[in-house]
Amino acid sequence: MNTSQSEALFARAKQSIPGGVNSPVRAFRGVGGTPRFIARGEGSHLFDVDGNEYIEYVGSWGPLILGHRPKPVIDAIAAVLELGTSFGAPTARELELAELIIDAVPSVEMVRLVNSGTEACMSAIRLARGFTGRDLTVKFEGCYHGHVDSLLVKAGSGVATLSLPDTVGVPAAFSETTIALPYNDLDQVEEAFRAQGDRIASIIVEPVVGNMGCVPPEPGFLQGLRRVTEQYGALLIFDEVMTGFRLSRGGAQQLYGVSPDLTTLGKIVGAGLPLAAYGGRADIMSKVAPAGPVYQAGTLSGNPLAVSAGIAMLTYLEKHPEVYDRLEKSSAELAACVPAGACVNRVGSMMTYFFQDGSAHGRHVRNYEDAKRSNTAVFSRFFHHMLERGVYLPPSQFEAAFVSAAHTPQDLAYTAQVIREFAANP
Ligand SMILES: *Cc1c(COP(=O)(O)O)cnc(C)c1O
């Protein structure tokens, strides 16, 4: 496979952009080699600047549940370009998107639009502090909630991929507001609340983790978080930036039947444009400025370009509930084909092949400690085996792969064939 153009661009990019990329995991540091510079996408396929074509399972890290350039989204963007890209004043479209979100996500009564998942999570934990008058946040090791100062403690995603210390540039006073606990361990949550429950404002959690690779909640875990937060008067925040509109139209909270106080959304809600949101109980959201005293603002928040894409996406998903059946079927087919030397975790169209014997410690990967036991050297060989044969997976052991509605039976059959050709011990 010729990658000379990508190599030349990457060498040049490293001169003017830190590490050559605008978000760390794109740099292939977790797997080695040269990242492909992408020229365009169509459906389930990516085309790089050297003319190589890939079936891809990254989907821009989550937003592209319908694949690249879905017609309803592209048409909506084209139409709004005739009117303007940003007004810095309210529009009817923002209201339409807010109502679509409220209609879809069971626990959301009011919602505020922002520009990134990071912003949504930062705002949600601030709001929780403002509402409860408490300072501490409980998070879980290996979960990622954006690059919010206080939430980088034991974070997943790129922090996990690069094995970075989580405190460089973060004042100790900020990290000290965070209690990081192992995922799926309710006893430790109860212990933390027994020790200082009157100081904890919220628990923020990925209801299904994607950012240490895919790790599902064990039965009772989310319900337990709901119970403990209620008992101690803390708020439960579901970070559904990845799971929202992916695991079902109502996200993980609909799938598991647990109702959080606040929810953060991103990725699919913006259909590939920069848009995210946080929302929840009306009495809590009413504390956000200008309705209340908790400040949060944004020059481009609710801009018509991103909002139109979001409306088109959410309207499509509302009118085509069969998308979720199709995703389940495609994903189950792929997850049935496990590469040699790996075990698989999957919920709906999120999945990860962890390169470890899933039975060695008598269970599947259920937290960050388990995920870290994976053999990242074998993962890297697997990744490059797939890439060389035209299948583009997330370039890290600690990320989830996504199946989209654009993947065809041919895509899936070819992917399965290439997986079967991988020998863990060549
Ligand atoms: C991607 C992600 C974020 C951060 O969103 P950005 O738009 O990259 O800032 C936060 N939480 C979760 C669960 C995510 O997957």
Side-chain angles (χ1 to χ4, degrees), residues 274-320:
L275 188 147
Y278 66 104
R281 272 166 45 192
D283 61 326
I284 304 171
M285 290 303 292
S286 300
K287 301 290 181 215
V288 177
V294 178
Y295 199 70
Q296 182 271 311
T299 301
L300 294 176
S301 293
N303 72 82
L305 196 59
V307 166
S308 296
I311 291 171
M313 175 64 88
L314 267 46
T315 304
Y316 184 90
L317 293 175
E318 184 189 355
K319 297 219 170 98
H320 297 271

Coordinates of all heavy atoms in Angstrom, one line a residue, residues 274-320:
P274 N -19.6 20.5 14.8 CA -19.3 20.7 16.2 C -20.6 21.2 17.0 O -20.9 22.3 16.9 CB -18.3 21.8 16.2 CG -17.8 22.0 14.8 CD -19.0 21.4 13.9
L275 N -21.2 20.2 17.6 CA -22.4 20.5 18.5 C -22.5 19.5 19.6 O -22.3 18.3 19.3 CB -23.7 20.5 17.6 CG -24.9 21.0 18.3 CD1 -25.8 21.7 17.2 CD2 -25.7 19.8 18.9
A276 N -22.8 19.9 20.8 CA -23.0 19.0 21.9 C -24.1 19.7 22.8 O -24.6 20.8 22.4 CB -21.7 18.8 22.7
A277 N -24.5 19.0 23.9 CA -25.6 19.5 24.7 C -25.5 19.0 26.1 O -24.9 17.9 26.3 CB -26.9 19.2 24.0
Y278 N -26.0 19.7 27.0 CA -26.3 19.1 28.3 C -27.7 19.5 28.8 O -28.2 20.6 28.4 CB -25.2 19.5 29.4 CG -25.2 21.0 29.8 CD1 -25.7 21.4 31.0 CD2 -24.6 21.9 28.9 CE1 -25.7 22.8 31.4 CE2 -24.6 23.3 29.3 CZ -25.1 23.7 30.5 OH -25.0 25.0 30.9
G279 N -28.3 18.5 29.4 CA -29.7 18.8 29.8 C -30.1 17.9 30.9 O -29.3 17.0 31.4
G280 N -31.4 18.0 31.4 CA -31.9 17.2 32.5 C -33.1 17.8 33.1 O -33.9 18.5 32.5
R281 N -33.2 17.5 34.5 CA -34.3 18.0 35.2 C -34.5 19.5 35.1 O -33.5 20.2 35.2 CB -34.1 17.6 36.7 CG -34.6 16.3 37.1 CD -34.1 15.8 38.5 NE -34.1 16.9 39.5 CZ -33.5 16.8 40.7 NH1 -32.8 15.7 41.0 NH2 -33.6 17.8 41.5
A282 N -35.7 19.9 34.9 CA -36.0 21.4 34.7 C -35.5 22.2 36.0 O -35.0 23.3 35.8 CB -37.4 21.6 34.4
D283 N -35.7 21.7 37.2 CA -35.4 22.5 38.4 C -33.8 22.7 38.4 O -33.4 23.7 38.9 CB -35.9 21.8 39.7 CG -35.3 20.4 39.9 OD1 -35.1 19.7 38.9 OD2 -35.1 20.0 41.0
I284 N -33.1 21.7 37.9 CA -31.6 21.9 37.9 C -31.2 22.8 36.7 O -30.4 23.8 36.9 CB -30.9 20.5 37.8 CG1 -31.4 19.6 38.9 CG2 -29.4 20.7 37.8 CD1 -30.9 18.1 38.7
M285 N -31.7 22.5 35.5 CA -31.3 23.3 34.4 C -31.8 24.8 34.5 O -31.2 25.7 33.9 CB -32.0 22.7 33.1 CG -31.4 21.4 32.7 SD -29.6 21.4 32.4 CE -29.4 22.5 30.9
S286 N -32.8 25.0 35.3 CA -33.2 26.4 35.6 C -32.2 27.3 36.3 O -32.3 28.5 36.5 CB -34.5 26.4 36.3 OG -35.5 25.8 35.6
K287 N -31.1 26.6 36.8 CA -30.1 27.3 37.5 C -29.0 27.9 36.5 O -28.1 28.6 36.9 CB -29.4 26.4 38.5 CG -30.3 25.9 39.6 CD -30.7 26.9 40.6 CE -31.6 26.4 41.7 NZ -32.7 27.3 42.1
V288 N -29.2 27.5 35.2 CA -28.2 28.0 34.2 C -28.5 29.4 33.8 O -29.7 29.7 33.6 CB -28.2 27.0 33.0 CG1 -27.2 27.6 31.9 CG2 -27.8 25.6 33.4
A289 N -27.5 30.3 33.7 CA -27.7 31.7 33.3 C -28.3 31.7 31.9 O -27.9 30.9 31.0 CB -26.4 32.4 33.3
P290 N -29.2 32.7 31.5 CA -29.6 33.7 32.4 C -30.8 33.4 33.3 O -31.3 34.3 34.0 CB -30.0 34.8 31.4 CG -30.6 34.0 30.2 CD -29.7 32.8 30.2
A291 N -31.3 32.1 33.2 CA -32.5 31.8 34.1 C -32.0 31.7 35.5 O -32.8 32.1 36.4 CB -33.0 30.4 33.7
G292 N -30.8 31.3 35.7 CA -30.2 31.2 37.1 C -28.8 31.7 37.2 O -28.3 32.3 36.2
P293 N -28.1 31.4 38.3 CA -26.8 32.0 38.6 C -25.6 31.3 38.0 O -24.5 31.8 38.1 CB -26.8 32.0 40.1 CG -27.6 30.8 40.5 CD -28.6 30.7 39.4
V294 N -25.7 30.0 37.5 CA -24.6 29.3 37.1 C -24.2 29.7 35.6 O -25.0 29.5 34.7 CB -24.8 27.8 37.1 CG1 -23.6 27.0 36.6 CG2 -25.2 27.3 38.5
Y295 N -23.0 30.3 35.5 CA -22.7 30.9 34.2 C -22.2 29.9 33.2 O -21.3 29.0 33.5 CB -21.7 32.1 34.3 CG -21.8 32.9 33.1 CD1 -22.9 33.7 32.8 CD2 -20.8 32.9 32.1 CE1 -23.0 34.5 31.7 CE2 -20.9 33.7 30.9 CZ -22.0 34.4 30.7 OH -22.2 35.2 29.6
Q296 N -22.6 30.0 31.9 CA -22.1 29.2 30.8 C -22.6 29.9 29.6 O -23.8 30.3 29.5 CB -22.7 27.8 30.9 CG -22.2 26.8 29.9 CD -23.1 26.8 28.7 OE1 -24.3 26.7 28.8 NE2 -22.5 27.0 27.5
A297 N -21.7 30.1 28.6 CA -22.1 30.8 27.4 C -21.3 30.3 26.2 O -20.4 29.5 26.4 CB -21.8 32.3 27.6
G298 N -21.6 30.8 25.0 CA -20.8 30.3 23.8 C -21.1 31.2 22.6 O -22.3 31.2 22.2
T299 N -20.1 31.7 22.0 CA -20.3 32.6 20.8 C -21.0 31.8 19.6 O -21.9 32.3 19.0 CB -18.9 33.1 20.3 OG1 -18.3 33.8 21.3 CG2 -19.0 34.0 19.0
L300 N -20.5 30.6 19.4 CA -21.1 29.8 18.3 C -22.1 28.8 18.7 O -22.6 28.0 17.9 CB -19.9 29.1 17.5 CG -19.0 30.1 16.8 CD1 -17.8 29.3 16.2 CD2 -19.7 30.9 15.8
S301 N -22.5 28.8 20.0 CA -23.5 27.8 20.5 C -24.8 28.0 19.7 O -25.3 29.1 19.6 CB -23.7 28.0 22.0 OG -22.6 27.8 22.7
G302 N -25.3 26.8 19.2 CA -26.6 26.8 18.5 C -26.5 27.5 17.2 O -27.5 27.9 16.6
N303 N -25.3 27.5 16.6 CA -25.2 28.1 15.2 C -26.0 27.3 14.2 O -26.1 26.0 14.3 CB -23.7 28.2 14.8 CG -23.1 26.9 14.5 OD1 -23.3 26.4 13.4 ND2 -22.4 26.3 15.5
P304 N -26.6 28.0 13.3 CA -27.5 27.3 12.4 C -26.9 26.1 11.5 O -27.6 25.2 11.2 CB -28.0 28.4 11.4 CG -27.2 29.6 11.7 CD -26.5 29.4 13.0
L305 N -25.7 26.2 11.2 CA -25.0 25.2 10.4 C -25.1 23.8 11.2 O -25.6 22.8 10.7 CB -23.6 25.6 10.1 CG -22.9 24.8 9.0 CD1 -23.6 24.9 7.7 CD2 -21.5 25.3 8.9
A306 N -24.5 23.8 12.4 CA -24.5 22.6 13.2 C -25.9 22.2 13.6 O -26.2 21.0 13.6 CB -23.6 22.8 14.5
V307 N -26.7 23.1 14.0 CA -28.1 22.8 14.5 C -28.9 22.1 13.3 O -29.6 21.2 13.6 CB -28.8 24.1 15.0 CG1 -30.3 23.8 15.2 CG2 -28.1 24.5 16.3
S308 N -28.7 22.6 12.1 CA -29.5 22.0 11.0 C -29.0 20.6 10.8 O -29.9 19.7 10.5 CB -29.2 22.8 9.7 OG -29.7 24.1 9.8
A309 N -27.7 20.3 10.9 CA -27.3 19.0 10.7 C -27.8 18.1 11.9 O -28.3 17.0 11.6 CB -25.7 18.9 10.8
G310 N -27.9 18.6 13.1 CA -28.4 17.9 14.2 C -29.9 17.5 14.0 O -30.3 16.4 14.3
I311 N -30.6 18.5 13.6 CA -32.1 18.3 13.3 C -32.3 17.2 12.3 O -33.1 16.3 12.5 CB -32.8 19.6 12.9 CG1 -32.8 20.6 14.0 CG2 -34.2 19.4 12.4 CD1 -33.2 22.0 13.6
A312 N -31.5 17.3 11.2 CA -31.7 16.3 10.2 C -31.4 14.9 10.7 O -32.1 13.9 10.4 CB -30.8 16.6 9.0
M313 N -30.3 14.8 11.5 CA -29.9 13.5 12.1 C -31.0 13.0 13.0 O -31.5 11.8 12.9 CB -28.6 13.6 12.8 CG -28.1 12.4 13.5 SD -27.8 11.0 12.5 CE -26.1 11.3 12.1
L314 N -31.4 13.8 13.9 CA -32.4 13.3 14.9 C -33.8 13.0 14.3 O -34.5 12.1 14.7 CB -32.5 14.3 16.1 CG -31.6 14.1 17.3 CD1 -30.2 13.8 16.9 CD2 -31.7 15.3 18.3
T315 N -34.1 13.8 13.3 CA -35.4 13.5 12.6 C -35.3 12.2 11.9 O -36.3 11.4 11.9 CB -35.7 14.7 11.6 OG1 -35.7 15.9 12.3 CG2 -37.0 14.5 10.9
Y316 N -34.2 12.0 11.2 CA -34.0 10.7 10.5 C -34.1 9.5 11.5 O -34.8 8.5 11.2 CB -32.6 10.7 9.8 CG -32.5 9.4 9.0 CD1 -32.9 9.4 7.6 CD2 -31.9 8.3 9.5 CE1 -32.8 8.2 6.9 CE2 -31.8 7.1 8.8 CZ -32.2 7.1 7.5 OH -32.1 5.9 6.7
L317 N -33.4 9.6 12.6 CA -33.4 8.5 13.6 C -34.8 8.3 14.2 O -35.2 7.1 14.5 CB -32.4 8.7 14.7 CG -30.9 8.7 14.2 CD1 -30.0 9.1 15.4 CD2 -30.5 7.4 13.7
E318 N -35.6 9.4 14.3 CA -37.0 9.2 14.8 C -37.8 8.5 13.8 O -38.6 7.6 14.2 CB -37.5 10.6 15.1 CG -38.9 10.6 15.8 CD -39.5 12.0 15.8 OE1 -38.8 13.0 15.5 OE2 -40.7 12.1 16.2
K319 N -37.6 8.9 12.6 CA -38.5 8.3 11.5 C -38.0 6.9 11.1 O -38.8 6.2 10.4 CB -38.5 9.2 10.3 CG -39.1 10.6 10.6 CD -39.9 11.1 9.4 CE -40.7 12.3 9.8 NZ -40.0 13.6 9.4
H320 N -36.8 6.5 11.4 CA -36.3 5.2 11.0 C -35.8 4.4 12.2 O -34.6 4.1 12.3 CB -35.1 5.4 10.0 CG -35.6 6.1 8.7 ND1 -36.1 5.4 7.6 CD2 -35.7 7.4 8.4 CE1 -36.4 6.3 6.7 NE2 -36.2 7.5 7.1

